[in-house]
Amino acid sequence: MADPQLLSNVRALVGRQYGRVYAWDEVNAPMIRQWCEIMGVENPLYTDPAFALGTPHEGLIAPPAMLQVWTMEGFHANHYPPGSTDENPYEVLKLFEQYGYNSVVAVNSELSFTRPLRLGEKLYYTTRLDAVGDEKTTALGTGFFVTLVMSHFVEKAGGDEPVGELLFRVFKFRPANAQPAAPAPAASAAPAKAKRPQPGISDDTRFFWEGCAQGQLLIQRCTACATLRHPPAPVCIQCHSFDWDTVQASGRASLYSFVVMHYPEVAPFDHPNPIGLIELEEGVRLIAGLVGIEREQLQIGQRLQVEFQTFDDALTLPLFRPVGE
């Protein structure tokens, strides 16, 4: 049964409205084009000015699903434009944590739209703690469903106009069958060093990890049609043959894309932690860590070379390091 004081504090927050978070940029064609390319959207209403001019919209509009994109914080966490609120709309989640509900899982997210966004419009959103459900017990554990609603507006001289809402619901809970905390180590004992998580290894992937241990980057190859494939799979994606062997890649590659992980910081990884989508010289792509380079030096298309590093005397990984022209 939940603590009565917790329930009282939580109910007092329901309905609270949090201040504005502004968009960094006006709705603009380059961001729309890039989003459409990434998402595989080919509707000319979003990218072809001549086509859009002949529609009832009389010009380009933004894809409705981009609503949240315009007000995102950007590359750095909690980096919002001047004038944005510094209130924490997730304070109710922090309140639950004080009473032992430390786990969270996203349940659902729903977008609704009033009208399309047009080029040159500037957005902001406000957040409302819409609801906190009664205590529930699920397979995950016991906790509460928390619903937040982000209402989006376009700034206008004659009065700001609502254009859509984002509903976001999470389950804040105490895990079921949680293990009791281990006894605290003696003051003189050194803290245990976190180890790299081990990959799941099956009959389809064992060759890859055994190759890494030998300093070889092995790629699966269909023996029927010679198609290379990665990640490994039991059947060829081209001719559906089950027969395959491997070929050793040269290790030469280029950086097709990348992300830099800042948060959450998870031991034993270093942060910021750059991860690349690597395009091998042989034509297949794989995801791997990047070493020997700072975030500011990363460039799409730059040349890379594989190197193998062993962690915890057990796990050998292919990492990629930039090479000179």
Side-chain angles (χ1 to χ4, degrees):
M1 188 70 177
D3 187 287
Q5 186 60 52
L6 168 64
L7 296 178
S8 176
N9 294 341
V10 166
R11 301 306 180 200
L13 290 176
V14 174
R16 178 171 176 180
Q17 193 88 17
Y18 297 84
R20 297 182 179 187
V21 174
Y22 289 96
W24 276 106
D25 302 290
E26 296 176 346
V27 176
N28 63 85
M31 287 180 64
I32 293 173
R33 175 181 56 79
Q34 292 167 3
W35 187 91
C36 289
E37 287 180 359
I38 292 170
M39 303 302 293
V41 175
E42 299 180 353
N43 191 334
L45 180 59
Y46 307 141
T47 56
D48 186 337
F51 175 88
L53 192 61
T55 69
H57 299 287
E58 299 180 341
L60 293 176
I61 62 171
M66 279 189 77
L67 179 65
Q68 186 187 13
V69 172
W70 303 107
T71 51
M72 284 183 170
E73 59 205 276
F75 184 73
H76 301 287
N78 299 317
H79 182 50
Y80 294 106
S84 298
T85 182
D86 58 2
E87 297 175 306
N88 179 11
Y90 304 103
E91 63 175 326
V92 68
L93 303 185
K94 298 296 183 184
L95 185 57
F96 279 122
E97 290 171 5
Q98 296 174 18
Y99 287 81
Y101 298 86
N102 293 314
S103 298
V104 63
V105 60
V107 178
N108 65 295
S109 180
E110 300 172 8
L111 279 171
S112 59
F113 316 103
T114 305
R115 68 159 176 83
L117 299 176
R118 300 178 178 87
L119 301 186
E121 293 184 322
K122 192 72 175 288
L123 275 74
Y124 68 86
Y125 72 85
T126 61
T127 303
R128 182 181 75 257
L129 177 56
D130 188 66
V132 177
D134 296 330
E135 188 177 41
K136 300 287 185 182
T137 298
T138 72
L140 291 174
T142 299
F144 298 83
F145 289 93
V146 178
T147 304
L148 295 161
V149 174
M150 290 78 165
S151 299
H152 289 68
F153 300 85
V154 165
E155 292 184 294
K156 287 196 169 184
D160 298 342
E161 181 182 356
V163 291
E165 287 187 342
L166 167 64
L167 180 148
F168 186 62
R169 183 176 291 118
V170 299
F171 184 52
K172 195 69 172 168
F173 64 98
R174 291 172 176 159
N177 304 317
Q179 298 298 317
S188 59
K193 183 179 179 181
K195 295 184 177 181
R196 291 255 178 164
Q198 295 290 317
I201 298 177
S202 67
D203 290 340
D204 295 321
T205 63
R206 186 170 287 105
F207 77 90
F208 180 82
W209 299 109
E210 291 177 348
C212 290
Q214 300 299 319
Q216 298 178 336
L217 186 59
L218 300 180
I219 304 299
Q220 199 174 39
R221 177 177 59 184
C222 174
T223 54
C225 68
T227 296
L228 300 179
R229 61 182 185 262
H230 190 89
V235 63
C236 178
I237 58 177
Q238 294 295 333
C239 71
H240 303 156
S241 170
F242 286 89
D243 298 323
W244 59 270
D245 61 6
T246 63
V247 60
Q248 182 176 348
S250 67
R252 294 185 292 271
S254 61
L255 185 59
Y256 186 85
S257 184
F258 67 90
V259 297
V260 180
M261 303 298 296
H262 291 265
Y263 182 83
E265 294 188 359
V266 178
F269 301 97
D270 296 327
H271 294 80
N273 182 21
I275 306 295
L277 179 57
I278 313 299
E279 186 162 68
L280 298 178
E281 189 177 62
E282 290 74 14
V284 296
R285 298 173 188 155
L286 72 160
I287 297 173
L290 299 167
V291 295
I293 190 169
E294 298 296 328
R295 158 67 183 92
E296 294 75 16
Q297 299 172 315
L298 290 170
Q299 295 182 8
I300 301 299
Q302 67 188 136
R303 296 174 57 198
L304 306 170
Q305 177 65 46
V306 72
E307 67 175 50
F308 295 91
Q309 293 187 17
T310 300
F311 301 89
D312 309 318
D313 298 322
L315 174 64
T316 301
L317 296 176
L319 305 177
F320 283 81
R321 179 182 299 272
V323 295
E325 295 297 331

